[in-house]
Amino acid sequence: MTAEGEDFTSPGTPTYFPVYAMRRTALKEIKAMLPHEDMLPKGLIKWKDNIGPLVFVSHQWTSFNSGPDPEGVQWPILRLLASNLWTSMRSFQDMFESLG
């Protein structure tokens, strides 16, 4: 990517904010919220061009010195939300497949 935000992997499509994604299995494995800089070298998050459908989650860091979630409040809620969302999506898909 150049300073102007041009991504040459997709000619003509500027990439100003690349999306790094975490697989659902990694979300289950991680026991605490980690900074992006710690997850990237461990392969827990990856950037992929044309990633397809995904769920975007934004969170607020609750500390500048102790990491993104020092009290361990946000991460369990996010994991529960993701689990419930996955279950709901599967139920919805099963419902439509049974109609077919």
Side-chain angles (χ1 to χ4, degrees), residues 44-92:
L44 297 171
I45 57 174
K46 297 179 182 178
W47 179 79
K48 182 180 175 189
D49 193 23
N50 299 323
I51 199 163
L54 60 90
V55 175
F56 175 80
V57 176
S58 179
H59 69 92
Q60 178 179 346
W61 276 51
T62 56
S63 170
F64 288 110
N65 300 323
S66 302
D69 186 23
E71 302 295 322
V73 175
Q74 295 183 45
W75 191 248
I77 293 170
L78 175 61
R79 290 176 70 190
L80 179 62
L81 173 69
S83 176
N84 289 343
L85 180 62
W86 178 254
T87 301
S88 297
M89 288 172 52
R90 295 296 307 163
S91 297
F92 193 68

Side-chain angles (χ1 to χ4, degrees), residues 5-76:
E6 185 72 23
D7 178 3
F8 291 106
T9 60
S10 301
T13 305
T15 302
Y16 298 104
F17 303 102
V19 173
Y20 286 83
M22 176 184 294
R23 297 185 63 81
R24 186 173 51 93
T25 53
L27 182 70
K28 289 180 176 180
E29 294 171 9
I30 299 171
K31 302 300 179 209
M33 190 177 295
L34 302 171
H36 174 92
E37 295 79 14
D38 293 347
M39 290 190 288
L40 189 58
K42 294 177 182 178
L44 297 171
I45 57 174
K46 297 179 182 178
W47 179 79
K48 182 180 175 189
D49 193 23
N50 299 323
I51 199 163
L54 60 90
V55 175
F56 175 80
V57 176
S58 179
H59 69 92
Q60 178 179 346
W61 276 51
T62 56
S63 170
F64 288 110
N65 300 323
S66 302
D69 186 23
E71 302 295 322
V73 175
Q74 295 183 45
W75 191 248

